[in-house]
Amino acid sequence: MNAEHKPSRSESITTFKARNMSLRSLQALCLASFFIADVRDGLGPFLGIFLTERHWQPDEVGFLMTAGGVAGLLATLPAGFITDTSKNKRALLAVLCVMITVSTLLIWFSQGDGIAAFSQIISGVCAAFVGPLITGITLGLTGQNGFSAQMGKNEAFNHAGNFLTALIGGGIAWYWGIDGIFLLMACTTVLTLCALLAIRNKDIDNNAARGLASSENQPIPSFSILTKNTALLVTGLTLLLFHLANAALLPMLSMRNAGITGAMNPGLYAAITVIISQAVMIPVALWVALRIERHGYWRLIMLALLLMPVRAAMAAATDTPLMMVPVQILDGVAAGILGVAVPGFIVKLLQGSGHVNAGQSVVMLMQGAGASLSPALTGTIAGRYSFSTAFSVLSVIALAALLVWWRYADLLMTHSAASPVKVVTD
């Protein structure tokens, strides 16, 4: 009778070291998610305030944001495929963070149309890579089974980073002025680079990062395979409509406040809106990671979609500064759910396909199309009519997203279970 094999002391030490190194990389990934929150979005809601104080009009700001969004949109598909093929995702992400920061600093020194457009285009292109790279690194470190739990942690740290930088940014804007936000971004970039250096590139399994088993080595499939996946395209269309309604809401709230005589300090107002939503997103992201197996991806995403039309309608109802509190609480709940549930749903949908990050990029392309058009649409309506009218239109668009997700419930729920599913092309 063969005795049960017991690992030798040397084998146990090797296993312990491997697990310890992997744990270190996961912890560093959480820190990178924390600091990169401020880097990826550039000035975020502070951009509109910065330019409004320099006599830019709402429609001009809207079209500038759209220029950056369109540039990011064009880079989205290449970002997914490059992530799938990259052997050093950590270094690539570090270079992109530096490029975002340098391009954003340009607009601090000159607000000319050409410089501002160049700044937003470069930032948009580089930011398009951040999502797929974070997803790829996470999947490469954890594999399929640990992905959703780690993404929940990533999102919680990301929202905590947004919360803290918004808190600090609001204080800086109140005490020194909006220009201090540029220095804050430079500091968080340095800290992001330090966290990325702590992730061991050897710990990232590049096959697992594509949704394959470690032993597999399949070539990346053609783009046509992704376009035939109906569930993937429905998800993308739903998120396109959602972000068309959502992307411009917070910047336009800040711009509406900035245009009201005697209203709250614009920089402080923008910071408070971010602080509220990010504070809510942290527990929501952790909660979603723990509840996916029980409720399924479809139901959780449906809940997030239900909140958007309510949020936009509340913004349209009144310009009272205090109204932004419930508006941003709802934003925190919806974003906290989608930040964890959407990447996890796509990983489940494309498991074993070898093109998980390319599939993520397809959905990001579609939601990016909505996000890039949102500022121009909202800014135009607000400029010609009113902010209230613009927010009402956003509420209608959000209802359309909800209806699309509901219409294809049977197809999507097939793939929303926690157990692995095969790639389908219904």
Side-chain angles (χ1 to χ4, degrees), residues 20-69:
N20 194 42
M21 289 298 183
S22 180
L23 178 60
R24 190 191 80 173
S25 293
L26 290 173
Q27 291 171 337
L29 176 61
C30 288
L31 288 177
S33 298
F34 180 90
F35 293 118
I36 208 171
D38 186 51
V39 178
R40 175 177 53 190
D41 297 330
L43 294 181
F46 294 104
L47 175 62
I49 298 169
F50 178 78
L51 294 175
T52 298
E53 290 181 351
R54 284 149 182 82
H55 311 296
W56 283 57
Q57 298 302 310
D59 55 343
E60 295 174 330
V61 176
F63 279 109
L64 178 64
M65 291 180 176
T66 295

Side-chain angles (χ1 to χ4, degrees), residues 60-406:
E60 295 174 330
V61 176
F63 279 109
L64 178 64
M65 291 180 176
T66 295
V70 170
L73 193 64
L74 296 176
T76 300
L77 282 179
F81 282 93
I82 290 172
T83 298
D84 277 330
T85 58
S86 173
K87 302 299 182 183
N88 197 331
K89 298 173 179 60
R90 180 194 65 170
L92 178 58
L93 184 56
V95 171
L96 292 167
C97 288
V98 172
M99 292 178 65
I100 292 172
T101 303
V102 171
S103 64
T104 302
L105 289 174
L106 287 176
I107 205 171
W108 187 19
F109 296 102
S110 174
Q111 294 84 52
D113 293 348
I115 294 295
F118 176 79
S119 168
Q120 291 304 294
I121 288 170
I122 296 298
S123 295
V125 170
C126 295
F129 283 77
V130 174
L133 284 168
I134 290 291
T135 300
I137 291 172
T138 304
L139 192 55
L141 288 173
T142 65
Q144 173 73 40
N145 292 334
F147 178 76
S148 292
Q150 183 60 38
M151 278 301 293
K153 295 177 183 177
N154 289 353
E155 286 297 303
F157 272 88
N158 185 267
H159 299 317
N162 268 322
F163 176 88
L164 182 61
T165 53
L167 188 64
I168 296 173
I172 290 174
W174 175 72
Y175 191 78
W176 283 296
I178 204 73
D179 294 49
I181 303 299
F182 291 91
L183 297 178
L184 174 62
M185 182 179 177
C187 292
T188 55
T189 300
V190 173
L191 294 171
T192 300
L193 297 178
C194 292
L196 289 174
L197 287 174
I199 300 174
R200 286 168 49 90
N201 195 52
K202 293 181 180 180
D203 290 345
I204 301 172
D205 186 327
N206 288 304
N207 281 329
R210 293 170 49 196
L212 297 172
S214 298
S215 58
E216 296 180 270
N217 191 22
Q218 300 177 13
I220 296 177
S222 66
F223 178 73
S224 62
I225 293 179
L226 296 174
T227 60
K228 293 176 183 177
N229 192 310
T230 306
L232 185 69
L233 297 180
V234 169
T235 302
L237 176 60
T238 301
L239 293 175
L240 183 155
L241 293 169
F242 176 87
H243 284 279
L244 179 60
N246 178 70
L249 184 57
L250 177 54
M252 291 299 164
L253 276 175
S254 297
M255 290 177 65
R256 180 172 68 177
N257 178 77
I260 299 175
T261 303
M264 186 184 301
N265 176 280
L268 183 60
Y269 180 91
I272 291 174
T273 61
V274 175
I275 287 169
I276 293 170
S277 59
Q278 297 299 325
V280 175
M281 290 178 200
I282 297 169
V284 171
L286 294 173
W287 179 85
V288 171
L290 296 173
R291 295 297 189 277
I292 283 176
E293 291 190 7
R294 180 177 179 181
H295 299 296
Y297 292 99
W298 184 87
R299 292 182 180 87
L300 290 170
I301 295 173
M302 184 69 177
L303 174 60
L305 296 175
L306 280 167
L307 300 177
M308 184 60 216
V310 176
R311 181 173 172 245
M314 291 172 66
T318 177
D319 60 2
T320 302
L322 287 178
M323 179 55 71
M324 60 91 166
V325 175
V327 168
Q328 289 306 99
I329 289 175
L330 293 180
D331 178 48
V333 176
I337 293 172
L338 294 177
V340 178
V342 170
F345 175 67
I346 297 171
V347 167
K348 289 290 184 183
L349 183 64
L350 301 177
Q351 182 181 2
S353 67
H355 53 72
V356 165
N357 296 296
Q360 297 275 359
S361 71
V362 170
V363 173
M364 292 179 68
L365 171 64
M366 298 179 74
Q367 70 181 31
S372 63
L373 292 173
S374 184
L377 172 66
T378 312
T380 300
I381 296 173
R384 294 184 179 180
Y385 299 100
S386 67
F387 281 106
S388 179
T389 302
F391 293 141
S392 297
V393 172
L394 297 185
S395 182
V396 173
I397 296 171
L399 283 172
L402 184 64
L403 290 174
V404 171
W405 192 253
W406 179 265

